[in-house]
Amino acid sequence: MSRARGRNRKYRVMVLGLAGAAVVAGGVAVTGAFAGQEGAPPDGRQAAAQVISCPSTDGRLPEIPAQARAEVDRELAGLEQQIAEANERLIRSQGEGGPNFVQNAILGPLEDKRGAVLDRIGQAIDREGGERPQGLDALDTCGLNEAP
């Protein structure tokens, strides 16, 4: 292997390592974006870290027929993945857009996706002879909370 190629490989490994560390850190230290404001606060204060939080399905689902269990579990995992992806987007988009950016670009689409997943959960339970859950549509709306 030539010297130049060896240096490029070391550089790629270093960059990938830093990128991986940033992703891991990003999952812990979430954005400081203010809802309804663009960029940092004008008085120089540090913005409060925020995360997206959504209502839980815990205790909201009826008895799930055994035939529907795998599909429902897959869909529930999808809900968790959606929240993780939305939080990553919140981090990456800090300071972008205007006052309604978070609502229009992150929370609105997340609500649509969650609604579709919750509907599929209801259909899976109903299709396998279970009692179709009522009120799942109330679980699709998410909001911003300060990070713990």
Side-chain angles (χ1 to χ4, degrees):
M1 176 183 316
S2 73
R3 266 183 102 188
R5 189 171 177 177
R7 277 191 299 236
N8 287 340
R9 183 174 189 281
K10 287 179 186 176
Y11 176 76
R12 283 192 309 262
V13 170
M14 180 184 74
V15 168
L16 290 173
L18 291 174
V23 168
V24 170
V28 176
V30 183
T31 185
F34 269 12
Q37 294 185 10
E38 191 171 342
D43 62 3
R45 291 180 295 129
Q46 179 69 21
Q50 294 185 323
V51 294
I52 293 173
S53 86
C54 302
S56 173
T57 58
D58 292 346
R60 303 293 295 267
L61 297 177
E63 185 68 32
I64 299 170
Q67 302 89 330
R69 173 53 70 186
E71 183 178 355
V72 170
D73 287 345
R74 214 175 19 257
E75 296 293 353
L76 290 172
L79 289 176
E80 294 303 315
Q81 180 64 32
Q82 288 175 349
I83 296 169
E85 289 170 358
N87 275 314
E88 288 174 19
R89 175 90 194 273
L90 188 62
I91 293 166
R92 287 191 318 268
S93 65
Q94 184 175 0
E96 286 182 19
N100 295 321
F101 177 80
V102 172
Q103 178 60 45
N104 294 337
I106 300 173
L107 293 175
L110 177 60
E111 181 177 342
D112 293 340
K113 291 176 191 175
R114 284 180 63 82
V117 169
L118 291 166
D119 189 49
R120 288 194 300 268
I121 289 172
Q123 289 173 5
I125 293 171
D126 188 40
R127 181 176 54 245
E128 298 301 336
E131 178 186 331
R132 187 177 179 100
Q134 299 300 310
L136 286 184
D137 55 339
L139 304 178
D140 62 0
T141 304
C142 302
L144 292 175
N145 288 333
E146 286 193 27

